[in-house]
Amino acid sequence: MDADMGQVLYEKNGDRQMLIASTTKIMTALVVLEHAAPDDVITVTPDHMAEGSSMYLRAGETVRVEELLYGLLLCSGNDAALALTECAGGLTPFVALMNEKAAALGMAHTSFANPNGLDADGHYSTARDMAVLAAAAVENPTFRRICSSRSVTIGQRTMENHNRLLRQVEGCVGLKTGYTRAAGRTLVSCTERDGCRLVAVTLQDGNDWADHAALYDYGFRLTAPRRGVQTALLRLREPLTAACAALHS
């Protein structure tokens, strides 16, 4: 999808409702950033412990929201996702906010049941809806800064980003990986080149790294004429500005 124009450049089964695993955490992060400040502090409780991927929180520790967001988006911490629900007063009201945000974005074929993406009844989305979500998320500068980080060290924690595309694809600005046995491999990514921003989504795709690279090669070939016009306009702007200045001098 061309994130700037909202135009789908290629799709296959784009509206099929499927499990989305940890790509769910894109919405989790977006809701947090709309309802909390990065410097807000959350106290971890035993209820925040979760199966699967983790940033290894300890019950009783206090953690800044920003650190939890790094743990959510880089480590894919299911514990971080549950801790962050405290921004809305707990799990149930937080999930309600996730679904409200989905409706506001027009994600008509999406339903969230939890903030971490573990398989659950009533938890699903589509490739098209996730592309819409990704395009909205990368507009948030804090989200963008965090998800594009290859690694970060905060205090005693060093967190590495699971997203290989940050190292393999020119212009990739990140987003989110995911996996459960039922969902298979899920991946939502965003790449920018020459002022053009594209988003790619694959669900239940065992060859997702290569497929995203191929989708970007295809997408940027399609958008090359538009990017050429933008470049021409940018190149014209300087001499036109100089000419206007000369007329008024």
Side-chain angles (χ1 to χ4, degrees):
M1 173 186 280
D2 185 323
D4 299 316
M5 309 290 287
Q7 178 186 7
V8 176
L9 304 176
Y10 174 84
E11 68 174 302
K12 180 179 180 181
N13 301 321
D15 293 318
R16 179 187 292 177
Q17 291 177 340
M18 300 179 70
L19 298 173
I20 55 174
S22 284
T23 59
T24 296
K25 291 164 182 161
I26 300 170
M27 178 62 87
T28 303
L30 193 57
V31 169
V32 168
L33 288 167
E34 292 182 353
H35 292 85
D39 287 332
D40 288 350
V41 174
I42 290 174
T43 300
V44 179
T45 74
D47 290 338
H48 300 148
M49 303 300 104
E51 63 177 299
S53 55
S54 175
M55 68 175 290
Y56 303 106
L57 294 171
R58 300 180 302 277
E61 70 173 311
T62 55
V63 189
R64 291 171 59 246
V65 163
E66 183 175 68
E67 183 175 353
L68 290 169
L69 286 170
Y70 274 107
L72 180 80
L73 294 173
L74 273 63
C75 304
S76 200
N78 293 333
D79 50 355
L82 291 176
L84 285 165
T85 65
E86 299 303 329
C87 295
L91 179 61
T92 299
F94 189 91
V95 171
L97 289 175
M98 294 174 72
N99 285 307
E100 287 176 15
K101 184 64 177 178
L105 290 173
M107 298 170 65
H109 303 289
T110 296
S111 174
F112 294 106
N114 61 58
N116 48 36
L118 293 176
D119 303 330
D121 291 339
H123 194 96
Y124 54 81
S125 188
T126 67
R128 188 189 307 275
D129 279 2
M130 292 303 291
V132 169
L133 173 60
V138 294
E139 290 291 333
N140 185 294
T142 303
F143 179 96
R144 180 188 173 93
R145 170 172 55 82
I146 292 172
C147 79
S148 64
S149 300
R150 295 187 184 185
S151 67
V152 67
T153 298
I154 302 175
Q156 300 301 310
R157 282 192 178 93
T158 295
M159 295 174 272
E160 302 286 341
N161 200 322
H162 295 175
N163 191 347
R164 295 184 194 174
L165 297 180
L166 288 169
R167 294 174 287 276
Q168 296 177 351
V169 172
E170 176 193 353
C172 181
V173 295
L175 280 189
K176 192 69 191 73
T177 61
Y179 173 81
T180 68
R181 184 171 296 179
R185 294 180 60 85
T186 63
L187 181 60
V188 179
S189 67
C190 178
T191 294
E192 295 180 353
R193 295 177 193 167
D194 299 326
C196 182
R197 179 183 296 169
L198 302 185
V199 165
V201 179
T202 51
L203 303 175
Q204 206 169 64
D205 180 4
N207 196 37
D208 49 6
W209 305 121
D211 287 344
H212 277 238
L215 285 167
Y216 286 125
D217 286 344
Y218 173 77
F220 284 114
R221 283 199 303 272
L222 285 183
T223 58
R226 177 165 65 83
R227 287 183 286 128
V229 170
Q230 290 175 337
T231 302
L233 288 172
L234 287 170
R235 287 175 177 170
L236 280 170
R237 185 176 299 164
E238 286 187 8
L240 284 173
T241 302
C244 290
L247 286 173
H248 292 285
S249 62

